Amino acid sequence: MNPITNPFSPGAGTPPPELTGRQTILNKANIMFQRLKAGRSEKSFLLVGLRGVGKTVLLNEIHRIAIASGYKSILVEAHEKKSLPALLLPSLRELLFQLDRMENLSEKVKRSFRVLKSFLNGIKLKVHDVEISLDNDPEIGTADSGDLESDLPTLLESIAEAASDRKTAVAIIIDELQYLSENEMSALIMAIHRIAQKKLPLALVGAGLPQLVGLTGRSKSYAERLFDFPKIGPLEESDAIEALKGPANAQGVEITESALNEIMRQTQGYPYFLQEWGYQAWNLAEVSPIDLPTILLATKESLHRLDESFFRVRFDRLTPREKEYLHALAILGDGAQRSGSIAEKLNVKPQAVAPIRNNLIKKGMIYSPSYGDTDFTVPLFGDFMKRIMPVGPTLG
Ligand SMILES: Nc1ncnc2c1ncn2[C@@H]1O[C@H](COP(=O)(O)OP(=O)(O)O)[C@@H](O)[C@H]1O
Ligand SMILES: [Mg+2]
């Protein structure tokens, strides 16, 4: 079929032609925004799920809902090598400028600028990747201790008060939250705790890999009372089918039932893979309906493309020993494996590979679904490891 009109959109954060199966989360966001803005209490939430399930796409949608609900909203993505202040401050400063531009003068907004300046002065000695500057005076003695856990809550509180004074509300949306350090996560949790107690209009929405849940728990044990952690998983079968049929039918193209069944079998309903298979099948099919033989070709093409990009970029960031570890995890079979069995496969003691395992968790490659268990954060990554390392030596 004509590749120019191909509706499918595999890619990190690429909006799908039809966002199926996520209405509950979007409703939840909407209710939270309305409630917080009206001065009612509501838990913030952090989306948790594997790579490619659609977390970034959801955060973009939630950002839009926030703005449509009259919020000043910022959306940022955490990185392994970037500090939380460096991540947040440019957007927070921009947000304060937005609040400042509204109607007449607000003393609360002016104060928040001073607190931001103090915060900058304090934090500059600790982190060196903050690149913004402000030319107003600081509020000396406020938020300038250099201790993130005490300064960040003060800063965010002042911003929430400024927003409240402006009869508006603030949404802070952070992707890839698993990359925060414990100290940063702890500071963020304490800030949200304080803001919730004062019923100020500031919402936090985040997303991250499953290790995010453990990170928040270790940072502050009361985090679980403060946040919901909605699980974002593969799509239910009916939603997955709709994600394929909807966009195709909209252009008068049908997909046969056996073709759909085969896509379900290959993709297991994971959104990224649904888009990839849909995309390849569309280009390969000569005429409607898209049938089973076309899907068999599409599978070859899709796996090839995934191996070259989605899987490959992650594989290339691994050290040789990390590759061996993941290979051992892969050949033990699908699903979570005991960490002890992985070490055994590598002919070493579990303690010997504990640092490798920890690094892989930090890099976001694996996680621990339950104590002592290990699994991939990227669906179907085990099959890829077996393709790319058909025979693997063991660690010695
Ligand atoms: N609900 C959905 N229905 C269909 N496709 C989706 C859905 N959510 C996401 N996708 C597709 O899945 C892919 C991955 O989405 P992304 O948000 O980057 O995932 P994540 O951030 O969880 O890794 C994108 O190509 C996107 O178009
Ligand atoms: Mg993402």
Side-chain angles (χ1 to χ4, degrees), residues 105-270:
L105 187 120
S106 158
E107 191 37 51
K108 290 268 168 56
V109 177
K110 295 291 174 215
R111 169 168 188 261
S112 197
F113 270 115
R114 292 197 296 276
V115 175
L116 182 62
K117 177 78 174 181
S118 315
F119 182 91
L120 268 175
N121 290 346
I123 215 72
K124 265 190 204 145
L125 307 170
K126 291 280 170 71
V127 299
H128 304 289
D129 57 346
V130 178
E131 275 163 4
I132 67 158
S133 61
L134 275 174
D135 50 17
N136 58 272
D137 290 331
E139 183 170 296
I140 294 175
T142 304
D144 58 4
S145 71
D147 173 10
L148 196 63
E149 292 193 18
S150 86
D151 292 353
L152 189 69
T154 308
L155 172 63
L156 292 187
E157 184 185 355
S158 83
I159 292 175
E161 279 173 346
S164 169
D165 194 49
R166 285 303 201 195
K167 308 271 181 298
T168 180
V170 170
I172 298 180
I173 305 179
I174 312 180
D175 204 356
E176 306 283 0
L177 261 184
Q178 76 280 351
Y179 287 138
L180 262 50
S181 69
E182 271 183 41
N183 173 250
E184 292 172 338
M185 182 56 89
S186 175
L188 197 58
I189 295 170
M190 288 169 82
I192 297 306
H193 188 45
R194 177 148 359 136
I195 281 162
Q197 278 176 339
K198 300 200 167 174
K199 294 198 178 168
L200 287 167
L202 186 146
L204 175 76
V205 182
L209 296 173
Q211 39 267 65
L212 173 59
V213 182
L215 173 64
T216 55
R218 282 194 308 280
S219 306
K220 280 280 165 286
S221 56
Y222 60 77
E224 63 187 76
R225 276 176 281 135
L226 210 53
F227 299 114
D228 283 333
F229 296 91
K231 272 211 183 85
I232 309 298
L235 295 176
E236 306 257 340
E237 187 165 308
S238 58
D239 295 322
I241 288 176
E242 176 55 28
L244 293 164
K245 276 178 86 169
N249 292 354
Q251 296 194 45
V253 172
E254 301 290 334
I255 312 176
T256 66
E257 198 171 317
S258 56
L260 284 169
N261 287 341
E262 180 60 13
I263 300 182
M264 289 309 125
R265 200 172 73 82
Q266 293 289 345
T267 63
Q268 298 169 22
Y270 280 101

Side-chain angles (χ1 to χ4, degrees), residues 12-13 51-52 55-57 175-176:
R51 294 264 177 226
K55 300 181 298 299
T56 300
V57 159
D175 204 356
E176 306 283 0

